[in-house]
Amino acid sequence: MDTKLKGDIAEQAAILNALKKGWGVLRTVGDRLPYDLVFDVDGVLVRIQVKAAWYQVSDDAFVVDNRRTKTNRRIMRRQAYICTDFDFALVFLEELSLFYIFPVDVFIAYGSQIYLVESGKRQRRPRSAKYRDAWDLISKWAAREETCV
């Protein structure tokens, strides 16, 4: 399965989750924007970037690149996101059928990749754990209309 197909599957899973919560969903046209979807949460529009994570056996962790990838023919360029690009990043772990819901400022604060450990053999809880299936962060953000600084 190529990365575009994995991304499409992740987007559809995000749409399904949003619809089950009673949120409206808007899709972007093309892939020029730094976000993939817009959720309408009680009249507040929330820009969503969707990413698909892959399982990396050597680290026993799921990994996601937190940079924007642009391709033009044979050239692939990666560029860091900035705080105004979107409101939340949804990282989909297809094998577990779950999402990590990161506010943009948290998502861009990581290095170029985020490692999500789902195995129970860790001695301490990873800092990403509080974002595991944290859909309520989007609801709370929409209710307060907070923005990233």
Side-chain angles (χ1 to χ4, degrees), residues 34-55:
Y35 53 90
D36 299 309
L37 304 169
V38 176
F39 292 164
D40 181 337
V41 181
D42 298 323
V44 176
L45 301 181
V46 184
R47 297 167 302 157
I48 303 295
Q49 172 54 237
V50 181
K51 295 284 188 179
W54 66 90
Y55 183 71

Side-chain angles (χ1 to χ4, degrees), residues 50-70:
V50 181
K51 295 284 188 179
W54 66 90
Y55 183 71
Q56 191 159 305
V57 176
S58 60
D59 293 312
D60 191 21
F62 290 89
V63 183
V64 66
D65 194 327
N66 69 340
R67 297 171 291 176
R68 187 176 186 178
T69 304
K70 292 183 179 181

Side-chain angles (χ1 to χ4, degrees), residues 9-10 15 80 106 110:
I9 291 168
I15 290 169
V106 173
Y110 281 88

